[in-house]
Coordinates of all heavy atoms in Angstrom, one line a residue:
S170 N 22.7 22.3 17.9 CA 23.1 20.9 17.7 C 23.3 20.5 16.2 O 24.4 20.0 15.7 CB 22.2 19.9 18.4 OG 22.2 20.1 19.8
L171 N 22.2 20.8 15.5 CA 22.2 20.6 14.0 C 23.3 21.4 13.3 O 23.7 21.0 12.3 CB 20.8 20.7 13.3 CG 19.8 19.8 13.9 CD1 18.4 20.1 13.4 CD2 20.2 18.3 13.5
G172 N 23.5 22.6 13.8 CA 24.5 23.5 13.2 C 25.8 23.0 13.2 O 26.7 23.4 12.5
Q173 N 26.2 22.0 14.1 CA 27.5 21.5 14.3 C 27.8 20.2 13.3 O 28.9 19.8 13.3 CB 27.8 21.1 15.7 CG 27.6 22.2 16.7 CD 27.9 21.8 18.1 OE1 28.7 21.0 18.5 NE2 27.1 22.3 19.0
I174 N 26.8 19.8 12.5 CA 26.9 18.7 11.8 C 27.6 19.0 10.4 O 27.2 20.1 9.8 CB 25.6 18.1 11.4 CG1 24.8 17.5 12.6 CG2 25.7 16.9 10.4 CD1 23.4 17.1 12.4
D175 N 28.7 18.4 10.1 CA 29.4 18.6 8.9 C 28.5 18.2 7.7 O 28.1 17.0 7.5 CB 30.6 17.8 8.9 CG 31.5 18.1 7.6 OD1 31.0 18.7 6.5 OD2 32.7 17.8 7.6
P176 N 28.1 19.1 6.7 CA 27.2 18.7 5.7 C 27.8 17.6 4.7 O 27.1 16.9 4.2 CB 27.1 20.1 4.8 CG 27.3 21.2 5.9 CD 28.4 20.5 6.7
R177 N 29.1 17.7 4.6 CA 29.8 16.6 3.8 C 29.6 15.2 4.4 O 29.4 14.3 3.7 CB 31.3 17.0 3.6 CG 31.5 18.3 2.8 CD 32.9 18.6 2.8 NE 33.3 19.1 4.1 CZ 34.5 19.6 4.5 NH1 35.3 19.6 3.6 NH2 34.8 19.9 5.7
W178 N 29.7 15.2 5.7 CA 29.5 13.9 6.4 C 28.2 13.4 6.3 O 27.9 12.3 6.0 CB 30.0 14.0 7.9 CG 29.6 12.8 8.7 CD1 30.3 11.7 8.9 CD2 28.4 12.6 9.4 NE1 29.8 10.8 9.6 CE2 28.5 11.3 10.1 CE3 27.2 13.3 9.6 CZ2 27.6 10.8 10.8 CZ3 26.2 12.7 10.5 CH2 26.4 11.4 11.0
L179 N 27.2 14.3 6.4 CA 25.7 14.1 6.3 C 25.4 13.5 4.9 O 24.7 12.6 4.7 CB 25.0 15.2 6.7 CG 23.4 15.1 6.7 CD1 23.0 14.1 7.6 CD2 22.7 16.4 7.0
R180 N 26.0 14.2 3.9 CA 25.7 13.7 2.6 C 26.3 12.3 2.4 O 25.6 11.5 1.7 CB 26.4 14.7 1.5 CG 26.1 14.3 0.1 CD 26.7 15.4 -0.8 NE 26.6 14.9 -2.3 CZ 26.7 15.7 -3.3 NH1 27.1 16.9 -3.1 NH2 26.5 15.2 -4.5
A181 N 27.3 12.0 2.8 CA 28.0 10.7 2.8 C 27.1 9.6 3.4 O 26.8 8.5 2.8 CB 29.4 10.6 3.3
V182 N 26.5 10.0 4.5 CA 25.6 9.1 5.3 C 24.4 8.8 4.5 O 23.8 7.7 4.4 CB 25.3 9.6 6.6 CG1 24.2 8.9 7.4 CG2 26.5 9.7 7.6
V183 N 23.8 9.8 4.0 CA 22.5 9.6 3.2 C 22.9 8.8 1.9 O 22.1 7.9 1.6 CB 22.0 11.1 2.7 CG1 20.8 10.9 1.9 CG2 21.5 11.8 4.0
E184 N 23.9 9.1 1.2 CA 24.3 8.4 0.0 C 24.5 6.9 0.3 O 24.0 6.0 -0.4 CB 25.4 9.0 -0.7 CG 25.2 10.4 -1.3 CD 26.4 11.0 -2.0 OE1 27.5 10.4 -1.7 OE2 26.2 12.0 -2.7
R185 N 25.2 6.6 1.4 CA 25.4 5.3 1.8 C 24.2 4.5 2.2 O 23.9 3.4 1.8 CB 26.5 5.2 2.9 CG 26.9 3.8 3.4 CD 28.1 3.9 4.3 NE 27.8 4.5 5.6 CZ 28.2 5.7 6.0 NH1 29.0 6.4 5.2 NH2 27.9 6.3 7.1
S186 N 23.3 5.2 3.0 CA 22.1 4.6 3.4 C 21.2 4.4 2.2 O 20.5 3.3 2.0 CB 21.4 5.4 4.4 OG 22.1 5.7 5.6
A187 N 21.1 5.3 1.2 CA 20.2 5.1 0.1 C 20.8 4.0 -0.8 O 19.9 3.1 -1.3 CB 20.3 6.3 -0.8
L188 N 22.1 3.8 -0.8 CA 22.6 2.6 -1.6 C 22.2 1.3 -1.0 O 21.9 0.3 -1.8 CB 24.2 2.8 -1.8 CG 24.9 1.6 -2.6 CD1 24.4 1.7 -3.9 CD2 26.3 1.9 -2.5
V189 N 22.2 1.2 0.4 CA 21.9 0.1 0.9 C 20.4 -0.4 0.6 O 20.1 -1.5 0.3 CB 21.9 0.1 2.5 CG1 21.3 -1.0 3.2 CG2 23.5 0.2 2.8
L190 N 19.5 0.6 0.6 CA 18.1 0.3 0.3 C 17.9 0.1 -1.1 O 17.1 -0.8 -1.4 CB 17.3 1.7 0.7 CG 17.2 2.0 2.1 CD1 16.5 3.4 2.3 CD2 16.7 0.9 2.9
V191 N 18.6 0.6 -2.0 CA 18.5 0.4 -3.5 C 19.0 -1.1 -3.8 O 18.4 -1.8 -4.5 CB 19.4 1.4 -4.4 CG1 19.4 0.9 -5.8 CG2 18.7 2.8 -4.3
E192 N 20.0 -1.5 -3.1 CA 20.5 -2.9 -3.3 C 19.6 -3.9 -2.8 O 19.6 -5.0 -3.3 CB 22.0 -3.0 -2.6 CG 23.0 -2.2 -3.3 CD 24.4 -2.3 -2.6 OE1 24.4 -2.7 -1.5 OE2 25.4 -2.0 -3.3
E193 N 18.8 -3.6 -1.8 CA 17.8 -4.5 -1.3 C 16.8 -4.9 -2.3 O 16.3 -6.0 -2.2 CB 17.1 -3.9 0.0 CG 18.1 -4.0 1.2 CD 17.3 -3.5 2.5 OE1 16.0 -3.3 2.3 OE2 17.9 -3.4 3.6
V194 N 16.4 -3.9 -3.1 CA 15.4 -4.1 -4.0 C 15.8 -4.3 -5.4 O 15.0 -4.7 -6.4 CB 14.3 -2.8 -4.1 CG1 13.7 -2.7 -2.7 CG2 15.0 -1.7 -4.6
A195 N 17.1 -4.3 -5.7 CA 17.6 -4.4 -7.0 C 17.3 -5.8 -7.6 O 17.1 -5.9 -8.8 CB 19.2 -4.3 -7.0
G196 N 17.3 -6.8 -6.9 CA 17.0 -8.2 -7.4 C 15.6 -8.5 -7.5 O 15.2 -9.6 -8.2
R197 N 14.7 -7.7 -7.0 CA 13.3 -7.9 -7.0 C 12.5 -7.5 -8.3 O 11.6 -7.9 -8.7 CB 12.5 -7.4 -5.9 CG 13.0 -8.1 -4.5 CD 12.0 -7.9 -3.5 NE 11.7 -6.5 -3.0 CZ 12.4 -6.0 -2.1 NH1 13.3 -6.6 -1.3 NH2 12.1 -4.7 -1.7
G198 N 13.2 -6.4 -8.9 CA 12.6 -5.8 -10.1 C 11.4 -4.8 -9.8 O 10.9 -4.2 -10.7
E199 N 11.0 -4.7 -8.6 CA 10.0 -3.8 -8.2 C 10.2 -3.3 -6.8 O 10.9 -4.0 -6.0 CB 8.6 -4.3 -8.3 CG 8.3 -5.5 -7.5 CD 6.9 -6.0 -7.8 OE1 6.2 -5.7 -8.7 OE2 6.5 -6.9 -6.9
A200 N 9.6 -2.2 -6.4 CA 9.8 -1.7 -5.0 C 8.6 -0.8 -4.6 O 8.0 -0.1 -5.5 CB 11.1 -0.8 -5.0
E201 N 8.3 -0.8 -3.4 CA 7.3 0.1 -2.7 C 8.2 1.3 -2.3 O 8.7 1.3 -1.2 CB 6.6 -0.6 -1.6 CG 5.1 -0.2 -1.4 CD 4.9 1.3 -1.2 OE1 5.8 1.9 -0.6 OE2 3.9 1.8 -1.7
L202 N 8.1 2.4 -3.0 CA 9.0 3.4 -2.8 C 8.8 4.2 -1.5 O 9.8 4.6 -0.9 CB 8.9 4.4 -4.0 CG 9.5 4.0 -5.2 CD1 9.5 5.0 -6.3 CD2 10.9 3.4 -5.2
V203 N 7.5 4.2 -0.9 CA 7.4 4.9 0.3 C 7.8 4.1 1.5 O 8.6 4.4 2.2 CB 5.8 5.2 0.5 CG1 5.5 5.8 1.8 CG2 5.4 6.2 -0.6
A204 N 7.1 2.9 1.6 CA 7.5 2.0 2.7 C 8.9 1.5 2.6 O 9.7 1.4 3.6 CB 6.6 0.8 2.8
G205 N 9.4 1.1 1.3 CA 10.8 0.5 1.2 C 11.9 1.5 1.1 O 13.0 1.0 1.2
F206 N 11.6 2.7 0.8 CA 12.7 3.7 0.7 C 12.6 5.0 1.3 O 13.3 5.3 2.3 CB 12.9 4.0 -1.0 CG 14.2 4.7 -1.2 CD1 15.4 4.0 -1.3 CD2 14.1 6.2 -1.3 CE1 16.6 4.8 -1.7 CE2 15.2 6.9 -1.7 CZ 16.4 6.2 -1.8
A207 N 11.5 5.8 1.0 CA 11.3 7.1 1.5 C 11.1 7.1 3.0 O 11.6 8.0 3.6 CB 10.1 7.8 0.8
A208 N 10.4 6.1 3.6 CA 10.2 6.1 5.0 C 11.3 5.6 5.8 O 11.6 5.9 6.9 CB 8.9 5.2 5.3
R209 N 12.2 4.8 5.1 CA 13.3 4.2 5.9 C 14.5 5.0 5.8 O 15.3 5.0 6.7 CB 13.6 2.9 5.3 CG 12.5 1.8 5.5 CD 12.9 0.5 4.8 NE 14.0 -0.1 5.5 CZ 14.6 -1.1 5.0 NH1 14.3 -1.7 3.9 NH2 15.7 -1.6 5.6
L210 N 14.7 5.8 4.7 CA 16.0 6.6 4.6 C 16.2 7.6 5.7 O 17.3 7.7 6.2 CB 16.0 7.3 3.2 CG 17.3 8.0 2.8 CD1 18.5 7.2 3.0 CD2 17.2 8.7 1.5
P211 N 15.2 8.4 6.0 CA 15.4 9.4 7.1 C 15.6 8.7 8.5 O 16.6 9.2 9.3 CB 14.1 10.1 7.3 CG 13.5 10.0 5.9 CD 13.9 8.6 5.5
V212 N 15.0 7.5 8.7 CA 15.2 6.8 10.0 C 16.7 6.3 10.0 O 17.4 6.3 11.0 CB 14.3 5.6 10.1 CG1 14.6 4.8 11.4 CG2 12.9 6.1 10.2
M213 N 17.2 5.8 9.0 CA 18.6 5.2 8.9 C 19.6 6.4 9.1 O 20.5 6.2 9.8 CB 18.8 4.6 7.5 CG 18.1 3.3 7.3 SD 18.3 2.6 5.6 CE 20.0 2.1 5.7
M214 N 19.3 7.5 8.6 CA 20.2 8.7 8.7 C 20.2 9.1 10.2 O 21.2 9.4 10.7 CB 19.8 9.8 7.8 CG 20.7 11.1 7.8 SD 20.2 12.2 9.1 CE 18.7 12.8 8.6
F215 N 19.1 9.2 10.8 CA 19.0 9.8 12.2 C 19.6 8.7 13.1 O 20.1 9.1 14.2 CB 17.6 10.1 12.6 CG 17.2 11.5 12.3 CD1 16.2 11.7 11.2 CD2 17.7 12.6 12.8 CE1 15.9 13.0 10.8 CE2 17.3 13.8 12.6 CZ 16.5 14.0 11.5
T216 N 19.4 7.4 12.9 CA 19.9 6.4 13.9 C 21.4 6.5 13.8 O 22.1 6.4 14.8 CB 19.5 5.0 13.5 OG1 19.6 4.7 12.2 CG2 18.0 4.9 13.9
E217 N 22.0 6.7 12.7 CA 23.5 6.9 12.6 C 24.0 8.2 13.2 O 25.0 8.3 13.8 CB 24.0 6.8 11.1 CG 25.5 7.0 11.0 CD 26.0 6.2 9.7 OE1 25.3 5.5 9.0 OE2 27.2 6.5 9.4
L218 N 23.1 9.2 12.9 CA 23.4 10.6 13.5 C 23.5 10.5 15.1 O 24.3 11.2 15.7 CB 22.4 11.6 13.0 CG 22.6 12.9 13.5 CD1 23.9 13.7 13.1 CD2 21.4 13.9 13.1
L219 N 22.5 9.7 15.7 CA 22.4 9.6 17.1 C 23.3 8.4 17.6 O 23.4 8.3 18.8 CB 21.0 9.3 17.5 CG 20.0 10.4 17.1 CD1 18.6 10.0 17.4 CD2 20.2 11.7 17.8
G220 N 24.1 7.8 16.8 CA 24.9 6.7 17.2 C 24.3 5.5 17.8 O 24.8 4.8 18.7
C221 N 23.2 5.2 17.2 CA 22.4 4.0 17.7 C 23.1 2.7 17.3 O 23.6 2.6 16.1 CB 21.0 4.0 17.1 SG 19.9 5.3 17.6

Side-chain angles (χ1 to χ4, degrees):
S170 299
L171 293 175
Q173 298 180 41
I174 298 173
D175 185 342
R177 292 170 296 182
W178 174 86
L179 182 60
R180 177 173 180 172
V182 169
V183 173
E184 290 179 347
R185 183 169 65 251
S186 300
L188 182 60
V189 170
L190 296 176
V191 170
E192 290 177 343
E193 285 184 4
V194 302
R197 296 200 297 264
E199 61 179 13
E201 213 303 327
L202 292 180
V203 174
F206 187 85
R209 295 178 63 192
L210 183 59
V212 177
M213 294 176 69
M214 185 273 293
F215 274 108
T216 52
E217 182 156 349
L218 180 64
L219 298 173
C221 297

